[in-house]
Amino acid sequence: MARPAPKAAKLGRNDPCPCGSGRKYKDCHLPLHDAEQAARRRQRQAHDTLMPKLIGAAMATPQHFPLALAQFWGDKYASEQLAELDELEDRGAERFLAYFAFNHPLDDGRTLAETLADAPAGAELDEHEAQLLRTWAPVRMRAYRAEAVRKNRSLNLRDLLVGDVFDVTDQAASYRLADGDLLVGHLVPLPGQGDSTTYTIAGAAAHLTGDIADKLAEFAGLYLADLRRTSPDANWHDFARERSYVLNHFVMGLPVDEYNPTLVDNIVLQARAALNIPGHDAA
């Protein structure tokens, strides 16, 4: 039976620096390593504080809510109902505000996340939050399939429409999701992870069962086909930027209690009729 490898001895301040300089660790690389660890801590803290600040900035611009609500909820709810949306829909207000921050174009065509990312540090965000937001600003709402779920630790999420796979560190999501389940939400890069890029879920997301994956892809394909009527070269990334709100329309139409294939088929048929697309959906 193989023995476990012994743990490396902790490097003391007065030990020789491992760089080989011959100087004590405290007089050589320790200050640099301490600074790196402090920077990683500040980056992780920025991740914890950034999303609440984005939501706060969204709540400060209620004049944009009517159009955004109409898009996201398909005219089902008005601005006056925002406070009760979490009760009317599963985390409905949280999901809407995440969509608003990352997806909804403001008067100049940019999203709230893009606008804040371009603002000087200190106006709304500190320097670490501003730096992190610049990596978040291009994010849009997408549909993902859960794979290789490692309960209470992490999971992989595969973009349902593009196929890209993301390593996601999110304890709560790994607890809720099983292999094959679907998630409609926002994935953002996680800071302070060294050379490898891992992701986490920003804000609230919709959790769906995996048996409707093909229908969701077909539904989204109809809107890509419609987008290509005016932009023939449009792809799934263009869909994410311009039409991602329709993913929530699909979520809204799903049966609440149990899977109903007739109802799910009707969601697709109604979209096809509304878009006047009699043929096959987009590839």
Side-chain angles (χ1 to χ4, degrees), residues 103-139:
N103 298 78
H104 184 69
L106 302 179
D107 294 338
D108 61 358
R110 297 187 303 164
T111 66
L112 178 63
E114 290 170 333
T115 299
L116 290 178
D118 290 340
E124 298 277 354
L125 313 171
D126 67 31
E127 60 176 311
H128 303 287
E129 293 165 338
Q131 181 181 10
L132 180 58
L133 184 56
R134 285 191 282 273
T135 70
W136 287 17
V139 167

Side-chain angles (χ1 to χ4, degrees), residues 20-39:
S21 66
R23 302 169 64 192
K24 291 183 179 181
Y25 181 46
K26 68 180 180 181
D27 297 324
C28 192
H29 273 76
L30 176 60
L32 177 61
H33 293 164
D34 283 346
E36 290 173 347
Q37 290 179 354

Side-chain angles (χ1 to χ4, degrees), residues 137-152:
V139 167
R140 298 294 183 271
M141 188 169 70
R142 295 176 181 266
Y144 300 93
R145 186 199 298 270
E147 299 178 351
V149 176
R150 299 168 285 276
K151 286 296 182 184
N152 297 322

Side-chain angles (χ1 to χ4, degrees), residues 3-103:
R3 295 181 179 178
K7 293 183 178 180
K10 184 177 180 181
L11 191 62
R13 291 171 53 84
N14 292 313
D15 290 338
C17 187
C19 74
S21 66
R23 302 169 64 192
K24 291 183 179 181
Y25 181 46
K26 68 180 180 181
D27 297 324
C28 192
H29 273 76
L30 176 60
L32 177 61
H33 293 164
D34 283 346
E36 290 173 347
Q37 290 179 354
R40 283 194 290 270
R41 284 195 298 271
R42 288 194 296 270
Q43 288 174 337
R44 288 191 290 269
Q45 290 168 355
H47 171 263
D48 294 337
T49 56
L50 180 53
M51 194 64 201
K53 285 193 175 182
L54 270 179
I55 297 302
M59 292 297 293
T61 59
Q63 69 273 20
H64 297 290
F65 284 178
L67 179 57
L69 280 163
Q71 284 187 331
F72 191 70
W73 293 111
D75 293 317
K76 187 176 180 180
Y77 299 112
S79 298
E80 297 77 20
Q81 296 173 281
L82 184 61
E84 55 184 320
L85 262 177
D86 280 337
E87 297 180 5
L88 297 172
E89 303 282 348
D90 182 26
R91 302 182 74 182
E94 293 181 70
R95 285 162 45 207
F96 165 73
L97 290 169
Y99 163 81
F100 181 86
F102 286 106
N103 298 78

